[in-house]
Amino acid sequence: TGVKTDGATATGGPLPAVTVGVPSPSHAAAAAALCPPSPGISVGKLDSVSMYGTVESLLPDDGSSVGSDSEASSASAWRTDKYGFLGGAQFSAAKPENSLPVDVSRLRELKWLEMLARWEKWVARRFDKVKLRCRKGIPSSLRSRAWQLLSCSQHLMEQNKGKFEELDREAGDPKWLDIIEKDLHRQFPFHEMFALRGGHGQQDLYRILKAYTVYRPQEGYCQAQAPVAAVLLMQMPAEAAFWCLVQICEKYLPGYYSAGLEAIQLDGEILSSLLRRVCPVAHRHLKQQRIDPILYMTEG
């Protein structure tokens, strides 16, 4: 769930290259093979420059890099599944039982390519078909383009050319910058993009979240925005992910990331009333256990 917090004062500024520390040469070699650091990042020093200029270690308190020592020493811990998660290959076998035949997947991809080429026509005249194809699943190779068109973030990005770079150059509010930096390592730490502290994935995530606090200073940063932005980054470049996040926060979930989480509170009351009407036994049980809708409605 989204939670607003206050942070300590820190120096604002653009995101420089950072130094990433790893606990052992074997870990460093494995990490470098999976997630090569961005230019300017050196691996092997424990003390490092933080995301916006303060000097501190970007390693966890226990000195580990990715997972526990036992996990990191295991060969499977460094293998990625088809989605880029470390050690997840056992959950996505080469040919799972529910996988689509190659010819079917290829046919769906061709249909999506044709639809994307004439997007406005499809949305205007055959939107039900667009929804049906979305529910069947967007091909991974076209997911970035499809998400941008479905959310209208591509149009927003074209209307604001150069705006993201302008926001990225702004110093930002130190209160939010400190909280954002502390949240970076919590976002999908077992995904290859975010496994290394100070790696390119965390740097881009920092840029997006900081840019939003500059773009909407009255809202600032909400911790629930970080995993959403991270998932977007898995599919598209930082600028495109930023404008997708803007559309999600302002068009699809307005108020969900505001200071008082007003929209979530309102939807919680609606869900509670609906549950009382359709399933009074469950509603009564949850009330007796003092489990409010806001505790579970944002999960899943």
Side-chain angles (χ1 to χ4, degrees):
T1 59
V3 179
K4 290 276 186 175
T5 56
D6 292 329
T9 301
T11 304
L15 179 61
V18 297
T19 306
V20 180
V22 292
S24 69
S26 61
H27 289 188
L34 286 173
C35 313
S38 303
I41 297 179
S42 60
V43 178
K45 296 181 179 179
L46 293 180
D47 291 329
S48 57
V49 180
S50 74
M51 291 297 173
Y52 50 90
T54 59
V55 178
E56 64 183 18
S57 173
L58 291 181
L59 286 175
D61 294 338
D62 61 1
S64 62
S65 57
V66 179
S68 66
D69 290 339
S70 60
E71 291 171 330
S73 62
S74 170
S76 63
W78 294 108
R79 290 166 49 203
T80 61
D81 63 9
K82 63 181 180 179
Y83 303 107
F85 286 93
L86 302 170
Q90 69 271 25
F91 301 113
S92 57
K95 291 184 178 180
E97 295 180 0
N98 60 349
S99 64
L100 291 172
V102 175
D103 55 341
V104 175
S105 298
R106 181 57 179 161
L107 181 59
R108 286 189 178 180
E109 192 175 57
L110 291 172
K111 289 179 178 179
W112 268 92
L113 284 169
E114 189 274 335
M115 187 168 67
L116 293 174
R118 298 186 292 170
W119 182 253
E120 293 184 0
K121 177 182 176 181
W122 275 84
V123 171
R125 300 181 183 180
R126 304 189 64 186
F127 189 66
D128 287 340
K129 189 68 173 179
V130 175
K131 289 195 296 183
L132 178 62
R133 288 182 177 175
C134 286
R135 289 166 181 169
K136 286 184 177 180
I138 303 172
S140 57
S141 60
L142 302 172
R143 197 165 293 147
S144 171
R145 188 177 171 191
W147 283 5
Q148 292 178 69
L149 289 171
L150 286 164
S151 66
C152 295
S153 65
Q154 180 173 308
H155 179 65
L156 190 62
M157 183 169 63
E158 292 171 353
Q159 286 184 321
N160 294 272
K161 288 184 178 180
K163 182 67 174 178
F164 176 70
E165 289 76 10
E166 177 186 330
L167 296 169
D168 191 29
R169 288 192 296 267
E170 293 287 334
D173 188 334
K175 176 182 68 174
W176 300 126
L177 301 184
D178 185 67
I179 301 172
I180 290 171
E181 183 174 357
K182 291 176 180 177
D183 282 348
L184 292 178
H185 74 280
R186 302 185 180 117
Q187 313 310 320
F188 303 101
F190 285 95
H191 191 277
E192 59 184 348
M193 281 189 66
F194 307 104
L196 284 183
R197 292 208 177 184
H200 67 91
Q202 288 196 3
Q203 290 192 54
D204 283 344
L205 181 58
Y206 177 88
R207 294 171 61 210
I208 291 172
L209 298 174
K210 187 201 79 171
Y212 190 83
T213 65
V214 179
Y215 185 69
R216 289 288 182 262
Q218 69 278 12
E219 293 185 16
Y221 166 67
C222 178
Q223 290 176 329
Q225 291 172 318
V228 176
V231 170
L232 293 172
L233 270 176
M234 294 177 193
Q235 305 295 333
M236 62 191 74
E239 182 179 13
F242 169 76
W243 291 112
C244 267
L245 179 66
V246 169
Q247 286 293 85
I248 290 171
C249 294
E250 299 185 357
K251 181 178 179 181
Y252 294 100
L253 296 173
Y256 262 57
Y257 304 105
S258 61
L261 307 174
E262 294 89 354
I264 296 181
Q265 300 283 357
L266 177 59
D267 285 351
E269 292 299 324
I270 295 172
L271 177 60
S272 180
S273 299
L274 181 62
L275 189 62
R276 183 172 61 247
R277 182 189 307 172
V278 301
C279 192
V281 175
H283 178 268
R284 184 167 54 254
H285 177 71
L286 291 172
K287 279 291 186 182
Q288 289 173 348
Q289 301 300 320
R290 297 181 180 179
I291 301 176
D292 295 326
I294 196 172
L295 297 176
Y296 58 84
M297 59 178 288
T298 58
E299 303 296 330

